[in-house]
Amino acid sequence: MTRRITCSRLLVPLLALAAVAAPCAPPARAAAKIKIVTATSDMASLAQEVGGDRVEVESIARGYQDPHFVEAKPSFLLKLRQADLLIIVGLDLEIGWLPPLISQSGNPRIQPNSGGYLDASQFAEILEKPAGVVTRAMGDVHPFGNPHYWLDPENGRRIAQGIASKLAELRPSDAAYFNSRFADFDKRLKDAEKVWDAEMQPFQSRKVVTYHRSWPNFLKHFGLVSAGEIEPRPGIPPTPSHTLELINMMKRDNVKVLLVESYFDLKTPNAIARDTGGQVVVMPPSVGGEKEITDYFKLFDYDLALLIKAFKATQ
Ligand SMILES: [Zn+2]
């Protein structure tokens, strides 16, 4: 008797709720969008390019944050819990903040080695792979090679293709759609690369100093040369002795341009620029690093424009 009363009490509100919710439900034939969570905004942009309107993409890290050190909001646990696919940069870029979120999400689809876990580094050309024993003891945050590989458009192409294949695997009925989205992206990227490469042609072999080693793929692609970093090692803040060596080198080799990722303190870069007659260029390394950098294409448009201006001013 008690059980019957409880049941009917529960049933009435549930039925009422169903009646209200029904008109808002999507048409039965439309497949739900594939829910993608990415570690960074660059992966989100590439996923959106190939996923189009069949996916829902959200990035945990914002483009203006240092991707090595992200404070992830707890609200992302809910997104991860519901995700069909998680795309990470890998090579330990997210080691300091992502693994606990993945395990706490309790979502079996996105656990490492599951079908909904995609490490994009497998598709990309990885530079600076260490030879010999790998250790983080020296504070080096790039123990498995350089994780900032998305800053070469060729790697962007490879990652996009890898994501398209993964989406086709998760949703075979939309495979043709994802493949054609990739073909379109590939064509637009080729067109953009022609423009970028022509713009950068006059500056081949120019030397630059960077704050962090975020740019080896970028520098390689655009024919530039790294003369050194403001950080003594990736992830280690500037030291007076290293800064002095850098200043002497820049004077000796006539290096005038300092690339600084937007999330680093400008005190040391500005001091170096004053001492060497150089110029600091604050360059976002990710989509969303500035308001107008709304996608992968605009990231290169924005950064190359800044760089060209600095090269011209220091010729
Ligand atoms: Zn790094």
Side-chain angles (χ1 to χ4, degrees):
M1 191 62 192
T2 316
R3 190 178 285 167
R4 235 173 104 195
I5 292 167
T6 313
C7 178
S8 64
R9 268 185 191 161
L10 255 177
L11 200 59
V12 173
L14 274 178
L15 283 172
L17 194 68
V20 172
C24 307
R29 278 189 66 247
K33 294 185 182 199
I34 300 176
K35 291 191 176 72
I36 306 175
V37 174
T38 64
T40 68
S41 53
D42 309 287
M43 296 301 138
S45 180
L46 293 169
Q48 191 66 68
E49 289 285 355
V50 294
D53 61 11
R54 313 280 162 96
V55 299
E56 222 174 73
V57 189
E58 190 130 19
S59 166
I60 298 177
R62 302 286 164 207
Y64 49 80
Q65 292 176 312
D66 181 342
H68 288 287
F69 307 101
V70 173
E71 255 186 72
K73 290 185 207 144
S75 59
F76 276 106
L77 265 185
L78 187 63
K79 311 242 186 238
L80 283 169
R81 202 163 286 159
Q82 296 165 342
D84 301 305
L85 175 62
L86 169 68
I87 305 172
I88 70 160
V89 174
L91 303 174
D92 266 8
L93 180 78
E94 307 99 336
I95 191 77
W97 53 275
L98 190 56
L101 287 179
I102 297 175
S103 58
Q104 282 165 39
S105 79
N107 178 350
R109 294 186 295 276
I110 59 159
Q111 300 301 315
N113 303 318
S114 300
Y117 177 93
L118 189 67
D119 180 339
S121 69
Q122 66 187 290
F123 307 116
E125 181 194 25
I126 305 303
L127 302 177
E128 303 172 352
K129 276 190 187 164
V133 182
V134 167
T135 170
R136 291 171 67 90
M138 296 290 289
D140 195 324
V141 292
H142 296 169
F144 301 117
N146 194 291
H148 304 274
Y149 56 78
W150 66 87
L151 285 158
D152 174 348
E154 177 55 32
N155 275 345
R157 172 179 288 111
R158 294 183 187 193
I159 298 162
Q161 187 160 30
I163 296 173
S165 300
K166 174 52 79 176
L167 291 174
E169 179 193 312
L170 292 177
R171 179 78 48 88
S173 56
D174 279 338
Y177 173 81
F178 297 130
N179 289 336
S180 81
R181 292 280 312 185
F182 170 71
D184 180 63
F185 170 76
D186 179 39
K187 187 187 171 301
R188 285 182 290 122
L189 191 59
K190 276 185 186 131
D191 291 344
E193 276 175 296
K194 275 183 205 146
V195 176
W196 296 331
D197 293 349
E199 282 174 351
M200 291 303 290
Q201 191 54 42
F203 309 107
Q204 293 299 292
S205 306
R206 285 286 290 259
K207 287 182 178 173
V208 297
V209 161
T210 71
Y211 193 106
H212 178 75
R213 290 192 74 90
S214 304
W215 308 95
N217 295 83
F218 179 91
L219 298 179
K220 185 184 172 207
H221 183 89
F222 293 108
L224 305 172
V225 177
S226 166
E229 291 83 38
I230 295 174
E231 288 181 336
R233 292 175 68 80
I236 303 294
T239 61
S241 63
H242 177 74
T243 299
L244 187 63
E245 272 174 38
L246 198 66
I247 288 171
N248 290 337
M249 180 278 296
M250 288 177 71
K251 285 179 177 168
R252 191 183 64 229
D253 296 349
N254 199 31
V255 181
K256 296 286 187 195
V257 173
L258 294 137
L259 299 189
V260 181
E261 298 80 351
S262 22
Y263 35 76
F264 288 119
D265 191 272
L266 286 173
K267 202 177 129 210
T268 304
N270 283 340
I272 296 172
R274 270 198 302 277
D275 210 347
T276 58
Q279 205 172 93
V280 171
V281 186
V282 177
M283 247 167 65
S286 280
V287 173
E290 286 293 339
K291 247 190 212 138
E292 54 264 62
I293 310 178
T294 49
D295 65 26
Y296 190 70
F297 292 91
K298 294 208 173 77
L299 175 61
F300 292 99
D301 287 342
Y302 187 93
D303 283 354
L304 291 176
L306 284 181
L307 200 51
I308 289 165
K309 200 172 148 206
F311 282 148
K312 284 183 175 165
T314 55
Q315 237 153 12

